[in-house]
Amino acid sequence: MERIPILKIGAALVVTIQVDMHDRVAMTLQEDLSTSIVASGAKGVLIDISALEIVDSFIGRTLANIASISRVLDAETVVVGMRPAVAITLVELGLALPGVRTALNAERGMALIRQRLAALGLTDGDGPAEA
Amino acid sequence: MAPPKPDPGVQAIAIRTGDDIVRVRQAVRGSAVEVGLSLVDQTKIVTAASELARNTLDYGGGGLATIEIVRDATRRGVRIRFEDAGPGIADVELALKPGYTTGRGMGLGLGGARRLSSEFSIASEIGKGTRVVIARGK
């Protein structure tokens, strides 16, 4: 079945959602990401949704769940690239994605993750920062 | 007897699996683009349709979505009817309240779909089923 690939870049996991999110694909992504965070020890998860034409309550809940699960596993999730029409619709739907950090684009999202790594005394690589 | 000639402005999609929710979204998007809705209006009606298609599947046990392009003298838009033969909704007013859910959802579906639509009606009968009609036009 369809799976969304997860890339590891330094201490972050990067996911770009390029497909129309089927409910099962969303559930699989949630499970795959949880497994990958533990296996890789990643401290940040960047989810790019710039290709998503809609975020309904199911997809919104999946993003919120991923953020909560990541936090419990000591990683921070940043959702980036939301289209303006999607943001307007989400808020009107009643879903403001509480607890989900967002950034305008992937570059700013990575900057947020790097800030967290720096605060933890880690570099963008895996190991602790050099003295 | 020959089957009735299909109206090109009307599409019926059976909702039986999660794949059908995606199919409904794509069909509504196509009709919204065809009728010339703005990007925000397209996004709103597709999102509302996605919520209602999922309700039809999860609570109604499946059903039918009928997507229709509306073109009359004063307006153009997309109207979608969702019908199921499920258990029905005992208290429709309660079901429209934010946060109300009997299932695994967030309770945003029905009320959210109403807020995202410019036209909304619901009829439900216990033991018979539910019908929801939404529309968005310009």
Side-chain angles (χ1 to χ4, degrees), chain A residues 20-24 53-61 83 85-86 88-89 92-95, chain B residues 18-19 21-22 25-26 29 39-40 43-44 46-47 50-51 54 104-106 108 112 115-116:
Chain A
D20 192 344
M21 278 268 264
H22 186 294
D23 291 4
R24 218 172 44 232
E53 291 184 335
I54 68 148
V55 173
D56 66 1
S57 65
F58 188 88
I59 299 169
R61 186 174 70 232
R83 297 182 181 191
V86 171
I88 292 168
T89 302
E92 204 157 315
L93 182 63
L95 200 63
Chain B
D19 290 317
I21 299 175
V22 174
R25 287 206 292 251
Q26 288 166 349
R29 167 81 60 183
L39 187 55
V40 170
T43 307
K44 285 181 178 177
V46 173
T47 305
S50 185
E51 299 296 331
R54 188 172 292 104
R104 60 198 176 88
M106 295 177 95
L108 292 170
R115 282 192 297 279
L116 292 173

Side-chain angles (χ1 to χ4, degrees), chain A:
Chain A
M1 73 159 264
E2 208 165 9
R3 269 196 138 83
I4 297 171
I6 299 170
L7 310 175
K8 185 171 181 297
I9 300 177
L13 298 177
V14 177
V15 173
T16 302
I17 301 172
Q18 302 277 4
V19 292
D20 192 344
M21 278 268 264
H22 186 294
D23 291 4
R24 218 172 44 232
V25 175
M27 293 307 294
T28 306
L29 175 65
Q30 186 177 309
E31 284 162 26
D32 287 353
L33 261 176
S34 315
T35 310
S36 299
I37 291 168
V38 172
S40 67
K43 296 291 178 201
V45 177
L46 185 96
I47 302 178
D48 171 39
I49 60 165
S50 57
L52 277 190
E53 291 184 335
I54 68 148
V55 173
D56 66 1
S57 65
F58 188 88
I59 299 169
R61 186 174 70 232
T62 305
L63 293 173
N65 283 350
I66 288 172
S68 302
I69 294 165
S70 309
R71 201 169 299 124
V72 172
L73 296 174
D74 191 25
E76 172 151 7
T77 299
V78 184
V79 172
V80 304
M82 186 183 293
R83 297 182 181 191
V86 171
I88 292 168
T89 302
L90 255 190
V91 170
E92 204 157 315
L93 182 63
L95 200 63
L97 295 183
V100 180
R101 288 208 77 168
T102 55
L104 218 48
N105 54 40
E107 199 171 11
R108 293 192 187 179
M110 279 311 280
L112 281 177
I113 290 173
R114 280 202 203 93
Q115 272 173 27
R116 176 163 195 258
L117 291 174
L120 291 170
L122 299 169
T123 60
D124 206 7
D126 280 331
E130 284 163 39

